[in-house]
Amino acid sequence: MPSADAPEAQQEIRFGIIGPGRAAARFAHGLGAVAGTNLAAVWGRNPEKANAFAQRFNVPETFASLDDLLTSGVDAVYIATHPDSHAEFCMRALAGHKHVLCEKPAALNERQLEQILSIAQRHDRLFMEAMKPPFFPLYQRLREHLQTDPIGQIGFVRAGHSDSSLAADYPLHFPELGGGGILGIGPYEAFLALDWLGALKQVHTLGRLSPAGVDAFAVIHTEHERGFAQLHTGLDLLSHGDALLSAPLGYVLIHANWWNPTRATIHYLDRRIVELHEPFTAGGFNYETAHFCDLVRRGLRESPEIPHTLSLAMARLLEQARTALGVRFPGE
Ligand SMILES: NC(=O)c1ccc[n+]([C@@H]2O[C@H](COP(=O)([O-])OP(=O)(O)OC[C@H]3O[C@@H](n4cnc5c(N)ncnc54)[C@H](OP(=O)(O)O)[C@@H]3O)[C@@H](O)[C@H]2O)c1
């Protein structure tokens, strides 16, 4: 690990954005709340949209090509295209010597993620999947609370979300973009199960496909080293995105939407009820981004919160779930 006076230790971190869409807008909003950062540049394949984004967020440079962005002075890129292109852009950015924060899911499958991690290692750059829930104040407070007032070993996680309100042209409906509820919604649920229950042992999935060939609804049962999870994802039913963590001495409800958490209720076996409430600011992407920047400044190449092994385990769980339903993406 470099010493505190290493060149990166005090630096302002200049970000470039690849894929200026909805998630990127939320990232840009959040970045304004992260000290010592600068949204320096954006590249989008549609110049009009990229220029409009740059104007909206006061981004000084809009590059005409990705290569121009990657040879510019930005230190890091945030990749927010659809999952079908995450691997390509991650690998190009890492090879261009940029640190990479990539939206979830970091890749279409485990093999692609392994390739990304190998390039990150070869070029000695930080790679982190953007997995925001554990950085929210509520999630951190819940972890602390369960340390001091425990409910015992969590052995069951239930989480799910299904959104039938998405417009017909929403990217999750298209297999060629890496769509489907499992890749769209499932990464957060995979994270929650792995975070509380540990290593993945097996995955059983039931579900149905849309006419276009992505998973329209899925129920995923997983076994982990410390218990079981029941997860669901969907694009054609409407459900409530809360989560349950169950243990011998109590259970926790993280209220909807649990992946942007603000409220949790802990029910204890002795009938006590503890309510936690922690609002978030600046849209909530700011917390994971602040963590990423801290890693850059400390010269680290992997997040201890979202380690590469965790991203690989998430990719494995999601890949097993969707392939069990017959969802295959072009080129797989
Ligand atoms: N963390 C969160 O809370 C959160 C929330 C929403 C989404 N996400 C994730 O963010 C990612 C993007 O989702 P979104 O809803 O922001 O999508 P979006 O609004 O459609 O934005 C996607 C952006 O990527 C560009 N793009 C797509 N494919 C590309 C390609 N092959 N080459 C170059 N540019 C490409 C699009 O360009 P065009 O405009 O030209 O199509 C657009 O600028 C997904 O991985 C999603 O899972 C995360």
Side-chain angles (χ1 to χ4, degrees):
M1 194 189 301
S3 65
D5 60 357
E8 288 184 337
Q10 302 300 329
Q11 94 190 70
E12 177 185 66
I13 295 166
R14 289 158 299 170
F15 275 93
I17 283 180
I18 297 175
R22 283 170 284 241
R26 290 168 65 183
F27 171 83
H29 172 54
L31 195 65
V34 182
T37 63
N38 176 3
L39 181 47
V42 58
W43 172 73
R45 63 182 168 185
N46 179 321
E48 272 179 33
K49 287 188 191 172
N51 283 329
F53 185 96
Q55 266 198 337
R56 180 175 165 201
F57 293 103
N58 289 321
V59 189
E61 289 211 84
T62 310
F63 286 107
S65 78
L66 179 59
D67 285 338
D68 290 344
L69 172 68
L70 296 180
T71 50
S72 75
V74 302
D75 306 295
V77 293
Y78 167 73
I79 297 175
T81 59
H82 304 135
D84 65 307
S85 55
H86 285 177
E88 178 199 337
F89 292 140
C90 284
M91 290 193 280
R92 285 176 67 181
L94 291 163
H97 235 64
K98 306 302 177 192
H99 303 295
V100 170
L101 177 63
C102 179
E103 259 312 329
K104 55 78 187 167
L108 284 180
N109 53 43
E110 193 181 0
R111 185 184 51 81
Q112 281 190 348
L113 183 54
E114 283 167 348
Q115 290 169 343
I116 294 169
L117 296 176
S118 142
I119 305 266
Q121 190 176 32
R122 192 176 322 150
H123 293 275
D124 190 26
R125 295 292 89 184
L126 168 64
F127 175 82
M128 181 180 138
E129 182 170 11
M131 182 50 51
K132 64 186 174 174
F135 302 101
F136 273 66
L138 184 282
Y139 201 96
Q140 306 230 329
R141 172 123 182 260
L142 175 63
R143 276 182 174 160
E144 286 161 18
H145 187 92
L146 294 180
Q147 290 284 324
T148 54
D149 192 0
I151 57 174
Q153 181 73 68
I154 286 164
F156 178 65
V157 169
R158 174 188 53 68
H161 184 59
S162 181
D163 191 348
S164 56
S165 74
L166 301 174
D169 63 351
Y170 199 81
L172 290 186
H173 294 302
F174 299 94
E176 63 274 22
L177 302 180
I182 292 175
L183 279 205
I185 299 162
Y188 293 135
E189 298 174 2
F191 162 78
L192 194 74
L194 289 159
D195 192 37
W196 293 99
L197 301 173
L200 184 65
K201 290 170 84 173
Q202 54 173 329
V203 181
H204 293 278
T205 313
L206 295 172
R208 59 169 173 263
L209 303 190
S210 72
V214 297
D215 49 290
F217 195 83
V219 179
I220 307 164
H221 289 167
T222 56
E223 182 181 4
H224 300 255
E225 61 185 349
R226 296 190 294 277
F228 305 93
Q230 185 186 53
L231 314 171
H232 75 262
T233 64
L235 304 175
D236 64 359
L237 300 177
L238 195 60
S239 81
H240 193 60
D242 63 348
L244 166 77
L245 313 175
S246 173
L249 301 178
Y251 62 92
V252 180
L253 288 170
I254 311 178
H255 300 283
N257 288 332
W258 81 260
W259 56 94
N260 292 320
T262 57
R263 282 199 318 118
T265 307
I266 309 169
H267 295 257
Y268 285 88
L269 188 62
D270 62 12
R271 296 181 183 272
R272 281 182 304 124
I273 295 178
V274 173
E275 300 278 359
L276 304 180
H277 183 217
E278 293 288 339
F280 60 85
T281 58
F285 281 36
N286 40 314
Y287 305 107
E288 67 180 351
T289 310
H291 171 76
F292 178 88
C293 291
D294 182 50
L295 300 176
V296 172
R297 292 195 186 94
R298 290 161 61 203
L300 298 182
R301 300 303 182 231
E302 182 173 358
S303 162
E305 284 286 340
I306 310 295
H308 294 163
T309 50
L310 176 61
S311 284
L312 285 165
M314 291 190 278
R316 193 172 313 135
L317 190 163
L318 300 172
E319 185 173 353
Q320 285 185 29
R322 74 175 167 81
T323 54
L325 299 182
V327 177
R328 292 268 190 306
F329 297 124
E332 281 192 321

